[in-house]
Amino acid sequence: MYPFGEDDPVKCLVYFAQIHETFRRAELDALGELYGINVEWEDYSDNSPFSIIKLASRREARKLVGRSILAKGIYELWGVAPDYNELHKFVRVNTAKMWPSCMGKSFKFYVEAFNGKRSQSEQHRIIEQFAYLGLDGSISMKNPEMTFNVMEEYKNKHVKAPTRVFLGRLLAVGSRHLVDTYDLKKRHYIGTTSMDAELGLITANFALTAPGKIAYDPFVGTGSFLVSCSQFGAYTLGSDIDGRQVRGKKGRSVLSNFKQYGLVSTYLDGFVSDLTNTPLRKTRFLDAIVCDPPYGVREGLRVLGSRDPEKAKEPVVRDGELRYLQDGYIPPKRPYSFLAMLDDILQFAADHLVSGGRLCFWMPTANEDFSQLDIPTHPELEIVSVCVQEFNKWSRRLLTYSRKKGDPIIEQAASRSAEIAEPEKKKVTADELNTFRKKYFEGFRPVS
């Protein structure tokens, strides 16, 4: 679209969707890591949809935002000022050298306002003020060769004048259309805990999924994360403690979701397992682990195994056949500590991720209790970002880790799985094993 200066350094305006604000910058940083693009942040705030960044080229700008879920678009920044008089002065002085390259090309102008509104006549008046650019191409509202956006930012909806105005030329739009494509309302197979399409796609970006990579979800459920990872070309596989989730019924299953979106070739398989009883060898072959672990609210957390280790030693036989070989067999489960689960997730990632591989998982917290010290750590994993989605009195955080490069550390982090080795003898309850569950049912009342 713009053959001139493709590989010249450029200052860009990123126009974000005003949603999931704490995820926006982290998503672009993740995409920069994926593509080897250095993103230099000049101006950013969670309270504004407009951000200014510096990139090495326009080519990089299009690649960076083209896959973003939270960025509406990226623009070659022609000017930013507190009012139109200053904006016009800046544009006249600093962009005149670009005008000749715009001649003879079809174009259109947009006027958009954040926290404000402009009538149609006001928009026309604003656009006409840029007549000095001398654009001589035809106006095309459907398929222009160039698109210019005038964007206004208001302090709030009650003020009449904007606090900042921008002029930018569109370089690329993001991939927000995928949110509608993968909308759960249109999906063939979902469950009560299926992750919504937008956050699933964002998580896949944080995990740096791409063609040729392998992504795994150990709490796969109905496969929301795997579908999102496959959208970006990754091979995917998943497991769940409840095999009925993976298999589905009446023709609806994790596999049927992949068939719906034409992604079957990327789906490796699904199997019954939990993190403490996995058939996967302890080798580093996974590029990404993405998951939303169970919070243990509807029922206490469970892992495969018997409450009574002594009974588990004796095989169960029914009608002359081993019970676990019979159709409809449901393996026994025992209580599981929430903290042990977090440790086991990190240890599993340390054992199976390649160097530089990413772990992305969601962790619930009561707002009153959270501090940075609550973020679980592991000596072989580096915390990349912590993004929060707030509800009323609780939140869930998307924690992203990168596996450190080099040989494994011999002294592994001690797992808290031993806390629940003999739950019957300790008389532990679901609430005692999961403080978040207890606070959830208590209405997050502060401790007196």
Side-chain angles (χ1 to χ4, degrees):
M1 186 180 292
Y2 307 122
F4 58 91
E6 276 292 281
D7 296 314
D8 293 334
V10 62
K11 184 179 290 190
C12 297
L13 174 69
V14 181
Y15 184 18
F16 286 108
Q18 194 64 3
I19 189 172
H20 302 311
E21 290 84 358
T22 65
F23 294 72
R24 300 183 307 195
R25 178 169 178 169
E27 186 197 30
L28 280 197
D29 283 338
L31 293 175
E33 176 74 17
L34 176 64
Y35 294 127
I37 296 173
N38 179 45
V39 182
E40 183 179 344
W41 295 88
E42 184 174 292
D43 182 88
Y44 176 83
S45 170
D46 285 348
N47 299 319
S48 171
F50 304 113
S51 179
I52 299 174
I53 62 175
K54 291 180 180 178
L55 298 170
S57 69
R58 294 170 179 82
R59 198 185 312 276
E60 284 191 352
R62 283 191 281 275
K63 193 170 187 179
L64 180 72
V65 167
R67 182 172 144 169
S68 173
I69 303 302
L70 292 174
K72 292 183 177 180
I74 188 167
Y75 302 79
E76 180 184 71
L77 183 61
W78 280 35
V80 54
D83 55 53
Y84 278 104
N85 287 334
E86 292 299 318
L87 179 65
H88 290 304
K89 289 179 183 179
F90 183 91
V91 172
R92 286 177 183 274
V93 172
N94 294 283
T95 67
K97 61 183 180 181
M98 302 182 189
W99 301 354
S101 63
C102 298
M103 300 305 153
K105 294 182 172 64
S106 60
F107 69 93
K108 70 176 177 181
F109 262 85
Y110 268 126
V111 177
E112 296 187 63
F114 170 67
N115 264 344
K117 190 176 183 180
R118 289 286 190 178
S119 66
Q120 200 71 28
S121 60
E122 288 177 318
Q123 293 182 39
H124 289 159
R125 178 179 57 79
I126 291 171
I127 292 172
E128 288 170 358
Q129 292 176 4
F130 291 93
Y132 57 83
L133 296 177
L135 302 177
D136 59 357
S138 60
I139 297 174
S140 174
M141 301 306 293
K142 290 186 177 181
N143 190 30
E145 295 175 83
M146 298 184 301
T147 298
F148 290 90
N149 276 51
V150 180
M151 286 167 273
E152 301 178 331
E153 183 176 31
Y154 292 79
K155 185 176 182 180
N156 57 59
K157 296 180 180 180
H158 304 293
V159 298
K160 295 183 178 181
T163 56
R164 286 195 299 178
V165 288
F166 306 84
L167 175 64
R169 180 168 55 179
L170 180 66
L171 293 175
V173 296
S175 290
R176 287 196 58 74
H177 65 280
L178 294 177
V179 177
D180 180 66
T181 300
Y182 291 97
D183 189 346
L184 291 183
K185 294 179 181 178
K186 305 175 184 178
R187 190 167 299 179
H188 193 243
Y189 178 57
I190 63 173
T192 56
T193 59
S194 296
M195 180 63 69
D196 75 77
E198 187 169 31
L199 290 174
L201 291 162
I202 292 169
T203 303
N205 274 341
F206 278 45
L208 310 185
T209 54
K213 293 188 174 184
I214 300 176
Y216 170 63
D217 184 350
F219 307 94
V220 68
T222 59
S224 293
F225 284 124
L226 298 191
V227 168
S228 296
C229 293
S230 288
Q231 156 61 33
F232 298 123
Y235 293 110
T236 58
L237 72 158
S239 63
D240 201 285
I241 193 171
D242 186 351
R244 294 169 296 181
Q245 288 276 340
V246 180
R247 294 188 295 270
K249 59 182 179 180
K250 297 181 179 179
R252 297 176 182 269
S253 64
V254 173
L255 179 59
S256 70
N257 282 340
F258 281 83
K259 291 179 179 178
Q260 177 183 356
Y261 298 115
L263 298 171
V264 174
S265 62
T266 65
Y267 180 51
L268 299 178
D269 208 349
F271 54 94
V272 181
S273 172
D274 66 51
L275 283 175
T276 64
N277 296 276
T278 179
L280 299 178
R281 292 183 179 180
K282 192 179 290 188
T283 56
R284 296 199 228 165
F285 73 102
L286 296 174
D287 298 283
I289 298 172
V290 291
C291 60
D292 183 22
Y295 304 159
V297 172
R298 289 181 175 83
E299 58 181 14
L301 294 172
R302 297 284 190 272
V303 291
L304 295 174
S306 175
R307 285 175 174 268
D308 187 344
E310 294 301 320
K311 289 183 178 180
K313 295 178 181 179
E314 296 296 328
V316 178
V317 178
R318 181 179 293 178
D319 299 329
E321 184 182 4
L322 289 172
R323 182 71 183 95
Y324 70 87
L325 296 177
Q326 296 176 343
D327 291 339
Y329 171 74
I330 299 177
K333 301 177 181 66
R334 58 182 172 85
Y336 191 32
S337 163
F338 182 74
L339 294 178
M341 178 182 68
L342 298 182
D343 278 352
D344 286 338
I345 291 173
L346 268 62
Q347 186 59 55
F348 182 90
D351 291 338
H352 294 87
L353 282 177
V354 299
S355 294
R358 291 244 173 144
L359 164 66
C360 298
F361 76 91
W362 291 79
M363 183 181 78
T365 54
N367 292 340
E368 64 194 38
D369 294 340
F370 180 77
S371 73
Q372 291 297 110
L373 296 177
D374 293 322
I375 299 173
T377 59
H378 189 283
E380 293 188 38
L381 301 176
E382 179 182 5
I383 297 175
V384 176
S385 63
V386 179
C387 302
V388 59
Q389 181 188 22
E390 291 190 2
F391 297 100
N392 186 10
K393 295 183 179 180
W394 70 283
S395 307
R396 60 180 179 180
R397 286 166 170 79
L398 175 58
L399 307 182
T400 300
Y401 300 78
S402 177
R403 197 192 188 292
K404 296 178 182 178
K405 297 180 180 180
D407 295 329
I409 296 174
I410 296 177
E411 294 182 4
Q412 303 288 2
S415 172
R416 281 185 281 254
S417 294
E419 295 178 5
I420 44 81
E422 298 180 12
E424 279 295 294
K425 294 181 180 179
K426 293 187 177 183
K427 302 294 184 182
V428 292
T429 65
D431 283 351
E432 289 173 324
L433 288 169
N434 186 347
T435 55
F436 176 80
R437 182 181 194 271
K438 182 178 181 181
K439 282 186 172 292
Y440 186 93
F441 285 114
E442 289 178 347
F444 298 100
R445 295 192 298 270
V447 178
S448 58

